[in-house]
Amino acid sequence: MFDLSAADLLDAFTRELQLCKLTPGEHVVVLAEPASRGDYVAAAFGAAKACGAHVIAATVPGGSPAPMPSTRTGAGPGLSSVLADRAAQDLLKSADLVVDLTQEGFIHAPVQQEILRSGTRIIFVCDAPDVLIRNLPKESDKADVLKGVDLLRSASTMLVRSAAGTELDVQLGGAKPEFQCGFADDPGRWDHWPSTMVLCWPEISNGRIVLAPGDILLPFKEYVHDPVALTVVDGHIEDVSGGAEAHMLATFFEDADDRWARSLSHMGWGLMRTADWFATAMYGKGDLMGMDARAFAGNFLWSTGPHPVLGRESYAHLDIAMRGCTVSVDGTDVVVAGRLPA
């Protein structure tokens, strides 16, 4: 963590919008809520102007219907004020680029897909300033993640192993490979600054996931202290055993009162080489989305809850980031013992 000036933020946002291929004459909406950072709004507004775009800063009422607290979790459907306001949705659809500075975004909201289908690009920004700048993407990051997407698209099986005891077999048929590269440069594209990852949405996985000390539970933003073993049958967590974190997860699944809480959703691996695994320990929980953990180069990231490919809507969304795994796609190692192959 270090002090940053307004000029630093303006420069970073300008470089980000240039990666989003913002061109003179395009229309930008900077979307905020009252809890959004004012310096981000100013930096995004100034960056859009510096790129020669038309820009509107729109602040909408905060609040999400999701049951989890709004501490940058990514678990909710988005702002109620936009979900229920056709005029706000029309404004976003009319933009070429939306810079989403809200705390939750619209990651799991059907309305986001509707906005994207209009051709609007959306870049979601929700992390601390130095995290954004340290992890400012490079244009080449997109080519890197697309290699992983191409590999997944032609593959049938992903195997995940670890010295801690993870043995997970994943069937990739219909798993819809996707990626995040940290910028939104194509029409109808949503992305997240910062992020560099490959992911997919499998239906069937079987085996055992063992969380080792030091793995990270999101959105709790807590490190695992004692090993946790999860038995997975046909993409569903049948059993959770271990210490305090196992009890917390089991309680979360039970208290969620959500039929999909124990079902796996997306999974994949990170390629963000600038990420810091210890960022989660160095900031307040309300200061971070936690993308250092989610996109850390060589991690294995898996989640529970919502699954758009299968039409599952759920707020019981956990992201769990693991180190030390070996991930193989049809026999090709994409991660070896927690590190990207040279």
Side-chain angles (χ1 to χ4, degrees):
M1 293 181 284
F2 53 92
D3 293 331
L4 294 166
S5 68
D8 293 321
L9 278 179
L10 177 59
D11 176 67
F13 271 84
T14 301
R15 292 162 63 190
E16 173 66 24
L17 297 194
Q18 289 169 343
L19 285 168
C20 292
K21 294 186 178 177
L22 183 63
T23 57
E26 285 196 301
H27 290 80
V28 176
V29 172
V30 179
L31 181 66
E33 58 182 314
S36 298
R37 293 184 60 124
D39 53 352
Y40 283 16
V41 174
F45 191 98
K49 292 290 289 180
C51 292
H54 306 286
V55 58
I56 295 172
T59 301
V60 297
S64 168
M68 296 194 71
S70 181
T71 55
R72 293 170 169 79
T73 66
L79 295 176
S80 301
S81 55
V82 174
L83 297 176
D85 188 340
R86 177 59 61 177
Q89 295 171 26
D90 289 345
L91 174 64
L92 301 181
K93 290 178 186 177
S94 71
D96 296 293
L97 176 67
V98 171
V99 182
D100 185 353
L101 302 178
T102 64
Q103 289 200 9
E104 298 296 331
F106 298 93
I107 300 173
H108 301 292
V111 71
Q112 175 167 282
Q113 298 306 312
E114 186 179 331
I115 293 166
L116 293 173
R117 282 193 293 270
S118 72
T120 298
R121 317 192 294 279
I122 302 176
I123 186 66
F124 179 53
V125 187
C126 190
D127 258 299
D130 47 319
V131 172
L132 297 181
I133 291 175
R134 171 166 47 79
N135 294 315
L136 189 71
K138 304 183 300 297
E139 189 171 2
S140 60
D141 291 342
K142 186 174 182 180
D144 290 342
V145 294
L146 286 176
K147 291 175 185 176
V149 169
D150 289 342
L151 182 62
L152 287 173
R153 187 174 287 125
S154 61
S156 59
T157 304
M158 179 165 65
L159 305 179
V160 186
R161 304 287 186 267
S162 76
T166 294
E167 296 271 349
L168 185 70
D169 295 356
V170 183
Q171 302 304 308
L172 295 175
K176 192 184 177 184
E178 296 182 3
F179 68 92
Q180 293 177 19
C181 63
F183 52 90
D185 59 339
D186 296 318
R189 172 76 190 159
W190 177 93
D191 217 297
H192 190 160
W193 172 29
S195 186
T196 318
M197 67 169 71
V198 178
L199 64 145
C200 61
W201 300 88
E203 179 179 4
I204 303 298
S205 51
N206 287 280
R208 178 180 170 90
I209 298 173
V210 179
L211 307 182
D215 290 342
I216 300 177
L217 307 177
L218 300 156
F220 306 125
K221 301 168 188 171
E222 297 280 354
Y223 291 87
V224 172
H225 293 88
D226 300 307
V228 178
L230 304 103
T231 302
V232 179
V233 178
D234 291 338
H236 185 80
I237 298 170
E238 296 288 346
D239 182 69
V240 183
S241 62
E245 288 80 20
H247 178 71
M248 180 171 68
L249 288 175
T251 302
F252 172 81
F253 294 144
E254 181 178 349
D255 289 354
D257 192 26
D258 186 315
R259 63 181 296 195
W260 306 119
R262 288 176 172 260
S263 296
L264 304 192
S265 60
H266 65 75
M267 59 181 68
W269 64 95
L271 293 96
M272 195 159 73
R273 298 178 186 273
T274 53
D276 182 355
W277 190 259
F278 300 100
T280 302
M282 302 303 292
Y283 296 82
K285 292 189 178 185
D287 296 330
L288 291 179
M289 185 79 175
M291 296 311 295
D292 276 295
R294 286 178 170 93
F296 185 86
N299 77 356
F300 173 61
L301 180 75
W302 62 276
S303 64
T304 68
H307 197 304
V309 176
L310 300 178
R312 289 192 333 230
E313 293 187 18
S314 170
Y315 297 157
H317 184 58
L318 301 180
D319 280 335
I320 298 182
M322 301 170 60
R323 294 184 72 173
C325 295
T326 294
V327 181
S328 301
V329 178
D330 271 6
T332 298
D333 291 342
V334 294
V335 177
V336 178
R339 297 184 181 276
L340 298 178

